[in-house]
Amino acid sequence: SFGGRQTPYLSADEASHMPLEAFLQRSLESAPSALEQSGAFADIFQRHLRNGANAAYIAQLIQGELVRLSSSSADKATAQWACQLLAQSAQGSAELGSGYAPPQTQAQSYAQAAGPGNGGGWEVQATKRQQHQQHQTQPEHRQANDVYIRSYFFPSEESFGQLIEFLNSAQDTLDICVFNITDNDIARAIGNAQKRGVRVRIVTDDEQLKCQGNDVERLSDQYGIPFKTDNDPQKFMHSKFAVIDKRAVWAGSYNWTVAARRSNNESVICTNDPATAKAFSDQFESLWRAF
């Protein structure tokens, strides 16, 4: 207990395996232990920043947690840690200009348009040294006009964090076509997108809908998210992709399940290549009409 509020202990080791949203929530919830290990926690947060965490989304989450946790003397520790996070976020955004960066404040989208007149986009030009470095988890192939192609591999909490960032950055539409959704962290990100006004639709497999822990019907009941299934017990709706704002795609072998996140060998490509985004958007619309 701290100043009348129960503050659970959170170790740096546990925090290091969390996606960004969980890290922010739990570290603020456990602010005294975060401050005791502030060096290690700062390193974890810097890693999220280097991986392209959205600064505006971070501020939104922190504000929400401060409102939720407001109480007695525990507020002081919570506020202190929150200020450290915000300060690091601002500093990181400035220092990481030579790597890939979160979207501009006025254009927060993972699907930042490629081409002239659109600012730095989700990624900005890397330095020559960084262009020749090989990143173990996220090798990248760059094309002209800030079109990006990124690869992610699982099991990996770092890769999972990028999926959450992808979902969190949707502004207008989020079209999801996946075999199965049972990971509650993913379901939470989908629900949050619907709550902030993004038009979310889901296509999934009819048999998987009946599986224990499947989140699709719950998302429909709780948030009003429409979904469709193949309604064919002889076939699988086995695709695994998502399109945000009709301009960026996340696609690969990865099912949106805890097993795929923590145990399975999976691979994913994420790109804002216009032709690829259009092809996947058209495929989603085709399945939506067919089902």
Side-chain angles (χ1 to χ4, degrees):
S1 175
F2 185 79
R5 174 165 69 82
Q6 291 295 323
T7 55
Y9 180 79
L10 177 64
S11 70
D13 180 65
E14 183 181 358
S16 68
H17 293 91
M18 292 177 174
L20 175 64
E21 185 173 297
F23 170 73
L24 290 173
Q25 180 180 6
R26 291 287 305 282
S27 66
L28 289 169
E29 204 172 62
S30 310
S33 55
L35 287 170
E36 288 172 9
Q37 309 164 82
S38 60
F41 274 64
D43 289 342
I44 295 167
F45 187 60
Q46 286 293 329
R47 186 193 71 203
H48 284 294
L49 292 176
R50 286 193 296 273
N51 288 336
N54 187 311
Y57 181 66
I58 289 171
Q60 179 185 352
L61 282 177
I62 290 173
Q63 181 179 353
E65 284 304 300
L66 287 176
V67 171
R68 185 177 72 85
L69 295 171
S70 292
S71 67
S72 63
S73 59
D75 293 347
K76 186 173 181 179
T78 303
Q80 285 176 334
W81 177 234
C83 289
Q84 288 185 31
L85 292 175
L86 289 170
Q88 288 183 53
S89 179
Q91 181 181 2
S93 295
E95 293 177 353
L96 294 172
S98 59
Y100 77 82
Q104 301 299 317
T105 304
Q106 300 302 318
Q108 299 167 25
S109 174
Y110 207 107
Q112 182 76 21
N118 291 301
W122 186 70
E123 294 179 331
V124 294
Q125 184 66 31
T127 63
K128 289 183 179 180
R129 178 181 62 81
Q130 289 170 322
Q131 287 174 342
H132 289 88
Q133 285 180 337
Q134 185 175 9
H135 194 295
Q136 185 175 355
T137 15
Q138 301 177 56
E140 119 183 34
H141 172 63
R142 291 187 59 86
Q143 298 178 336
N145 299 326
D146 291 326
V147 172
Y148 61 80
I149 303 172
R150 282 193 166 270
S151 51
Y152 299 99
F153 303 97
F154 295 83
S156 165
E157 285 299 305
E158 186 174 356
S159 294
F160 179 77
Q162 290 301 306
L163 171 57
I164 297 300
E165 288 298 315
F166 178 84
L167 298 173
N168 288 343
S169 68
Q171 291 184 336
D172 300 315
T173 61
L174 172 57
D175 292 328
I176 299 166
C177 183
V178 292
F179 184 59
N180 198 3
I181 304 175
T182 62
D183 190 311
N184 290 339
D185 289 327
I186 294 177
R188 187 178 300 110
I190 296 170
N192 287 341
Q194 180 81 357
K195 285 197 297 184
R196 66 175 181 269
V198 176
R199 184 170 70 101
V200 182
R201 296 181 294 174
I202 300 173
V203 168
T204 191
D205 183 74
D206 58 341
E207 293 299 314
Q208 293 300 308
L209 197 67
K210 305 170 187 175
C211 292
Q212 183 176 5
N214 187 284
D215 288 311
V216 174
E217 288 186 321
R218 179 175 65 83
L219 286 168
S220 180
D221 293 341
Q222 187 171 348
Y223 299 101
I225 295 174
F227 70 90
K228 292 188 177 184
T229 68
D230 54 326
N231 291 319
D232 188 344
Q234 303 303 315
K235 299 178 181 178
F236 290 128
M237 200 308 296
H238 209 240
S239 288
K240 297 118 182 165
F241 69 85
V243 184
I244 59 171
D245 303 331
K246 299 189 182 300
R247 293 162 68 184
V249 179
W250 175 282
S253 67
Y254 183 75
N255 262 318
W256 293 11
T257 65
V258 174
R261 169 182 173 181
R262 297 180 177 168
S263 304
N264 297 352
N265 294 311
E266 309 281 2
S267 54
V268 171
I269 291 289
C270 180
T271 182
N272 67 345
D273 172 66
T276 304
K278 184 179 186 307
F280 275 92
S281 284
D282 290 349
Q283 174 65 6
F284 183 90
E285 296 295 345
S286 175
L287 292 173
W288 190 260
R289 289 191 300 269
F291 297 160

